[in-house]
Amino acid sequence: MNTVPEKPVLEGLEATWSARWAEQGTYAFDRSKSREEIFSIDTPPPTVSGSLHVGHVFSYTHTDLIARYQRMRGKEVFYPMGWDDNGLPTERRVQNFFGVRCDPSLPYEADYTPPDKPDAKRQVPVSRRNFIELCNRLVEEDELVFEQLWRTLGLSVDWNQKYTTIGDESQVVSQRAFLRNVARGEAYQQDAPTLWDVTYQTAVAQAELEAREYPGAYHRVAFHGADGPIHIETTRPELIGACVALIAHPDDERYQPLFGTTVRSPLFGVEVPVVAHASAEPDKGSGIVMCCTFGDLTDVIWWRELQLPNRTIIGRDGRILPDAPEWISDEAGLGLYAEIAGKTTFTARELTVAALKESGDLDGDPKPTQRMANFYERGDKPLEIVSTRQWYIANGGRSAELRKALVARGDEIDWVPTYMQSRLTNWIEGLNGDWLVSRQRFFGIPFPVWYRLDAAGEPDYDAPILADEASLPVDPASQAPPGFEDSQRGEPGGFMADPDVLDTWATSSLTPQIVCGWERDPELFAKTFPMDLRPQGHDIIRTWLFSTVVRSHLEHGGIPWSHAALSGFVVDPDRKKMSKSKGNVVVPDEILSTYGADAVRWRAAGARPGADSPFDEAQMKVGRRLAMKVLNASKFVLAAEEAYGLGADAAHLDPVRVTEALDLAMLSRLRLVVTEATAAFEAYDYATALEVTEKFFWDFCDDYLELVKERARRDDAGGASAKSAFVLALSVQLRLLAPFLPYVTEEVWSWWQEGSIHRAPWPDNGTDLTTSEQDPTLLASAASVLADIRGAKSVAKVSQKTPISSLTITATKDRLDVLRLAIADVVAAGRVSVDPVYVADSSVESFMVQATPAAV
RNA sequence: GGGCGAAUAGCUCAGUUGGUUAGAGCAUCCGGUUUACACCCGGAAGGUCGGGGGUUCGAGUCCCUCUUCGCCCA
């Protein structure tokens, strides 16, 4: 006990204490506690294939602040950490890192070693299983780096509760939840127009869309009617061969005579009907448009609502299909089709435009335009729409009733900040299709599904063979379905695996079920689910938050967590979101080693929930200064016997010894701080909790300690009062600061207390501060008079040591009466060598002080 | 075009239910080195609270409108 270092430093605290916490299991979850005693957190699993930037550091700190507060409040905190290693980001990283690509047609090589000198441009094809092994290898390395960073930052997660989104448990949960969705009719497969990324060759869900400006040109093209040409305007003339109708607004008088008739398409000579639909815009272009299968999402709506035929000419590789479709019979049309077959849409467009010019069907020159096109958020070519068979999960996109139910679930959740709820409501109400969950990728969780092959070797999609829940996790690509031998794979009369993997969100949406042990550990599940808190970024409300609500609603008929806390972004000084592609990312390692984890956490805590916060390195210094101040002030308060007669003597913690008015007033004010900080934390407002605590702490150091310094040296009742007030106040303040500055507070705690401060109880006025009440403004009054005395010396440009030879204090009588209770401390701290003169004046605000420094 | 949010000191932000002279930190300038701390302390300067209109005895705060910025969605 009482081992206060001579010169305390911040360096090395992270290494020392994070190791100690791991060793002692400081944050280990005790599952013997009851549901009421447990606070469970649904941590976002960061994408390990990316890199962490300060934005992550900030938002994970926000969660940790709440976790530490709840723990000190006596809750047993269930705080797992996951890694999102599943999905396309990992595939891309593996391709670049090892210089390989997945070719599912290749056989597995047992002792495969990737190229020595990876060349991302010339990727070596490897089997699917080899590819997945490489994925697993790389994510393991990445995950260690991430864990180290989180440990340094001081996240109080229980590292025994670790999960990965590609791990077995995640596979079991994802597959089981999917099978149950199928059983209840919530998951189904459908052959339907699907948004398709031609680069990645995969289907893309609505939530993954990103609308971007894309250059194009309007082409004014003539269709041939009985009474002359009908001009339409299109940005995609290469789709003329896929045209199924011309569409105009029902009230458009120009085209009303044509409704019900047919016109002939240019170049291909296909007869297409002219039909009316209310969503055609009369004042856009010529007011009549061609509907193709499929140029954009509007085409899909028209195709569906007007029951038009499907005339697809674009394949999944984004190229024109090789064989001429049966609806083209015109000789010249077949000739042109032969020319564009197999070409990219870009080339096909050029060829088509040339042909239109030649035939005279192009009116004028194409007019350049910027149009909004849908992109896969990770892709760089506009999405095509192709007809494919995909799995879907109901999410309300096709059911107003389900939408209503999901919006109502949003109401059951407490949102921090509250206005974020409208983002969820908005998203749900704007849904226009169910959730597409199949992806044509490799590193993901496979569908636990096979299909029978008929005598001709054709799959029977209508009667999928589903895996038994007991057999999960299952990899249909390497395991045969029940009742089949693996030799029957791909054989007529045999079976084939569903080749797809589940959307990464189809796993992430189940993080509560994964961590809480759904069906695996019913006791744990009962104690942790529904969870207490989902912390996450506001940018993924439509994806992660929404899909988690969907799964929980479908599976459990309830909400997945009672609170959702949304963190803002850290933006660069120009208020732009940090992103790798913009090159404005700030890497956390350097910041952490330069300023220390406590300083970085302090800065993170200053960003209020939901609010974006610009990154400013200068702010870190302030946090570091606070951490340093905690060390020094604590050292002073706990100083060695010989210096101040203080020590870590437990007797000093006895509130009865506090008798002096100023000490009582300081503690009274501290009681207000405890009340405010606690209320703020209860409302998840860590920023306010820090603000009030920090403000008090600086006043405590700069005013209170300065005022009492002299008296504390004395060996009488006044000295004892000060010493006891010191340690009482320090104990409470360290605990108030512990969530923010876990390292420095733990360090100081270890000088004079047993056990970890992070398992110490949150301050409570009823048990920690039982001293009698004193007007809490006394501290501020005494401080303000002292400040005026110092100011007088500062103005006179004399040393603060200079005695004051004349002091007159003017204030209302009431204020003077209060001030007099602590005047001895003021006089001592201000080096006043005379008795102060008091002037009662009811018209004076606050205090008017006239102080004259003695002539030097 | 729709939804949500933001606009207060050079910068980052507080500012409860309208109520004296709008606050803090950083940066700047001036002064101080008293044995916890120079990774320190004190002081000063710095604002027509985005513009306009309205309600009110009184508006940074409430209402209307406009402008600019951010995020999400069309």
Side-chain angles (χ1 to χ4, degrees):
Chain A
M1 289 277 260
N2 196 11
T3 49
V4 181
E6 278 289 309
K7 186 95 186 157
V9 291
L10 295 173
E11 279 66 32
L13 292 185
E14 289 92 347
T16 305
W17 287 109
S18 61
R20 194 81 57 88
W21 293 332
E23 213 175 278
Q24 300 182 342
T26 308
Y27 309 119
F29 173 66
D30 174 4
R31 62 178 292 160
S32 71
K33 296 285 166 65
S34 70
R35 180 65 189 97
E36 290 67 41
E37 296 168 303
I38 288 169
F39 188 87
S40 59
I41 303 175
D42 185 17
T43 331
T47 307
V48 287
S49 53
S51 51
L52 293 171
H53 55 70
V54 276
H56 295 104
V57 166
F58 275 35
S59 56
Y60 280 85
T61 298
H62 296 159
T63 307
D64 189 57
L65 298 174
I66 302 299
R68 287 181 180 277
Y69 165 72
Q70 292 290 348
R71 193 178 290 113
M72 292 178 78
R73 286 281 283 184
K75 292 279 175 136
E76 190 60 29
V77 178
F78 182 66
Y79 189 9
M81 180 61 66
W83 307 123
D84 189 9
D85 42 16
N86 157 352
L88 192 53
T90 298
E91 287 188 23
R92 291 177 69 182
R93 180 157 150 72
V94 166
Q95 287 172 356
N96 293 327
F97 190 88
F98 291 115
V100 299
R101 68 181 164 82
C102 180
D103 183 345
S105 68
L106 293 176
Y108 175 65
E109 282 181 56
D111 293 311
Y112 180 76
T113 45
D116 284 344
K117 288 187 178 169
D119 182 353
K121 292 214 175 80
R122 266 178 295 174
Q123 294 167 344
V124 180
V126 297
S127 75
R128 177 187 164 123
R129 194 168 147 195
N130 285 121
F131 187 76
I132 287 172
E133 282 177 2
L134 290 175
C135 287
N136 283 320
R137 195 166 121 190
L138 191 58
V139 295
E140 253 174 61
E141 290 175 24
D142 288 344
E143 282 159 17
L144 282 176
V145 175
F146 274 41
E147 182 175 332
Q148 194 46 51
L149 179 67
W150 284 161
R151 284 185 185 273
T152 302
L153 182 62
L155 297 189
S156 62
V157 310
D158 180 359
W159 290 101
N160 298 318
Q161 315 279 346
K162 216 165 25 174
Y163 68 97
T164 68
T165 57
I166 197 65
D168 278 356
E169 183 54 27
S170 297
Q171 304 231 4
V172 172
V173 169
S174 303
Q175 292 183 334
R176 185 194 298 124
F178 172 77
L179 290 171
R180 298 219 180 157
N181 289 136
V182 174
R184 288 190 299 261
E186 295 149 0
Y188 59 90
Q189 45 182 340
Q190 195 182 28
D191 208 331
T194 306
L195 287 156
W196 186 268
D197 186 284
V198 298
T199 310
Y200 294 108
Q201 303 253 328
T202 182
V204 171
Q206 189 184 354
E208 294 167 305
L209 293 186
E210 199 171 277
R212 296 183 205 150
E213 292 263 317
Y214 192 71
Y218 282 117
H219 301 74
R220 191 171 154 88
V221 174
F223 277 63
H224 307 287
D227 304 317
I230 318 293
H231 287 98
I232 58 109
E233 291 198 13
T234 179
T235 55
R236 303 203 59 186
E238 74 276 16
L239 288 176
I240 290 172
C243 179
V244 290
L246 294 193
I247 295 174
H249 194 275
D251 299 337
D252 194 330
E253 291 178 4
R254 293 170 293 178
Y255 301 111
Q256 274 172 353
L258 291 172
F259 292 146
T261 71
T262 64
V263 295
R264 221 160 13 87
S265 65
L267 305 178
F268 297 101
V270 176
E271 292 285 338
V272 296
V274 181
V275 289
H277 194 279
S279 64
E281 296 175 57
D283 47 359
K284 217 172 146 186
S286 58
I288 188 163
V289 292
M290 70 170 181
C291 170
C292 307
T293 52
F294 297 93
D296 58 28
L297 288 172
T298 319
D299 287 339
V300 178
I301 294 168
W302 287 332
W303 167 79
R304 192 174 285 147
E305 294 186 4
L306 300 170
Q307 303 194 335
L308 299 164
N310 187 342
R311 291 179 180 160
T312 301
I313 62 164
I314 293 183
R316 297 182 185 194
D317 54 1
R319 291 170 182 272
I320 307 295
L321 291 171
D323 299 325
E326 36 90 18
W327 59 87
I328 298 176
S329 52
D330 181 277
E331 198 68 29
L334 286 170
L336 175 62
Y337 192 92
E339 254 187 82
I340 63 174
K343 299 289 198 299
T344 62
T345 51
F346 183 80
T347 311
R349 185 177 311 158
E350 289 190 327
L351 293 167
T352 307
V353 170
L356 285 168
K357 275 186 183 153
E358 204 175 303
S359 69
D361 289 318
L362 185 66
D363 183 17
D365 288 323
K367 281 181 300 202
T369 176
Q370 289 286 326
R371 65 192 170 107
M372 293 306 280
N374 283 317
F375 286 75
Y376 173 40
E377 56 192 1
R378 299 178 187 280
D380 52 11
K381 284 195 182 138
L383 294 172
E384 291 293 347
I385 297 168
V386 300
S387 244
T388 55
R389 186 197 56 84
Q390 304 283 348
W391 282 99
Y392 294 82
I393 292 178
N395 70 354
R398 297 173 67 175
S399 156
E401 202 183 331
L402 182 53
R403 279 201 295 278
K404 212 175 129 196
L406 291 170
V407 167
R409 291 293 178 211
D411 279 334
E412 294 175 45
I413 297 167
D414 281 329
W415 295 75
V416 183
T418 49
Y419 62 76
M420 289 293 180
Q421 190 189 342
S422 58
R423 298 207 186 177
L424 176 71
T425 306
N426 259 349
W427 171 251
I428 294 174
E429 287 172 349
L431 285 169
N432 54 33
D434 276 339
W435 177 13
L436 190 156
V437 289
S438 41
R439 294 290 181 281
Q440 290 66 51
R441 303 303 309 169
F442 317 108
F443 193 58
I445 297 177
F447 282 82
V449 172
W450 301 263
Y451 306 100
R452 282 184 192 82
L453 300 178
D454 64 15
E458 288 298 314
D460 176 10
Y461 290 120
D462 294 334
I465 308 169
L466 301 171
D468 277 340
E469 277 195 24
S471 69
L472 305 181
V474 70
D475 177 16
S478 60
Q479 292 165 253
F484 288 85
E485 296 292 323
D486 204 57
S487 60
Q488 293 173 278
R489 184 182 297 274
E491 299 297 320
F495 70 92
M496 63 170 266
D498 188 305
D500 294 348
V501 297
L502 284 154
D503 174 15
T504 179
W505 295 111
T507 299
S508 305
S509 59
L510 296 163
T511 50
Q513 288 83 353
I514 293 168
V515 297
C516 296
W518 176 51
E519 297 284 298
R520 166 178 56 97
D521 187 343
E523 190 203 344
L524 179 69
F525 193 71
K527 286 181 172 185
T528 51
F529 186 92
M531 304 185 81
D532 293 283
L533 177 65
R534 156 62 72 86
Q536 65 162 77
H538 59 68
D539 54 331
I540 50 174
I541 289 175
R542 64 175 177 157
T543 50
W544 194 35
L545 193 150
F546 169 61
S547 62
T548 310
V549 170
V550 169
R551 300 311 281 281
S552 178
H553 174 76
L554 295 177
E555 186 60 45
H556 310 287
I559 49 174
W561 358 257
S562 54
H563 294 80
L566 287 304
S567 280
F569 298 132
V570 175
V571 293
D572 72 9
D574 295 330
R575 298 230 164 232
K576 294 277 183 288
K577 186 179 166 183
M578 280 191 186
S579 74
K580 236 178 172 176
S581 56
K582 290 197 190 97
N584 58 357
V585 176
V586 177
V587 184
D589 308 52
E590 228 172 278
I591 301 293
L592 278 171
S593 61
T594 307
Y595 299 100
D598 283 342
V600 175
R601 292 173 61 102
W602 174 88
R603 174 65 189 90
R608 300 190 117 77
D612 291 349
S613 188
F615 180 76
D616 179 3
E617 201 172 323
Q619 299 283 328
M620 306 287 169
K621 290 184 192 156
V622 184
R624 188 175 168 84
R625 213 179 54 155
L626 173 65
M628 202 63 220
K629 192 78 174 176
V630 169
L631 283 182
N632 282 312
S634 302
K635 177 187 150 197
F636 176 69
V637 165
L638 299 172
E641 291 281 338
E642 57 270 26
Y644 292 108
L646 290 182
D649 187 345
H652 288 306
L653 272 167
D654 185 358
V656 175
R657 296 170 59 136
V658 184
T659 51
E660 290 286 326
L662 190 64
D663 305 338
L664 292 168
M666 181 274 292
L667 293 171
S668 287
R669 229 199 94 194
L670 182 54
R671 275 195 285 271
L672 299 176
V673 170
V674 169
T675 304
E676 280 180 56
T678 305
F681 258 126
E682 283 299 314
Y684 293 81
D685 183 2
Y686 47 79
T688 298
L690 172 60
E691 196 181 304
V692 297
T693 305
E694 196 187 349
K695 170 87 175 79
F696 181 85
F697 176 68
W698 283 107
D699 289 349
F700 176 80
C701 291
D702 296 342
D703 297 337
Y704 176 73
L705 288 183
E706 292 301 324
L707 280 162
V708 190
K709 228 174 206 179
E710 299 290 329
R711 173 157 56 82
R713 292 197 172 113
R714 297 208 311 254
D715 206 9
D716 58 7
S721 174
K723 289 161 200 166
S724 291
F726 278 12
V727 286
L728 284 170
L730 182 68
S731 165
V732 167
Q733 289 183 92
L734 286 175
R735 281 177 285 151
L736 289 175
L737 289 169
F740 306 99
L741 313 174
Y743 288 109
V744 82
T745 52
E746 184 77 315
E747 170 70 12
V748 170
W749 198 253
S750 76
W751 295 345
W752 62 310
Q753 302 276 349
E754 292 294 340
S756 171
I757 193 172
H758 303 298
R759 284 283 179 176
W762 183 252
D764 179 86
N765 291 337
T767 54
D768 291 307
L769 296 169
T770 56
T771 50
S772 59
E773 194 60 44
Q774 178 55 267
D775 186 344
T777 64
L778 172 57
L779 175 57
S781 300
S784 121
V785 173
L786 177 62
D788 286 339
I789 292 170
R790 286 167 167 172
K793 292 179 188 176
S794 193
V795 168
K797 304 200 174 182
V798 297
S799 159
Q800 292 295 334
K801 280 189 247 182
T802 312
I804 292 291
S805 56
S806 152
L807 177 65
T808 306
I809 305 169
T810 310
T812 62
K813 184 174 177 305
D814 291 350
R815 284 180 202 278
L816 287 175
D817 287 345
V818 174
L819 177 67
R820 274 193 232 229
L821 296 170
I823 198 66
D825 290 330
V826 176
V827 162
R831 308 221 168 195
V832 179
S833 56
V834 293
D835 284 337
V837 177
Y838 301 98
V839 178
D841 183 339
S842 60
S843 70
V844 173
E845 296 291 338
S846 173
F847 292 93
M848 225 171 72
V849 175
Q850 278 181 300
T852 315
V856 187

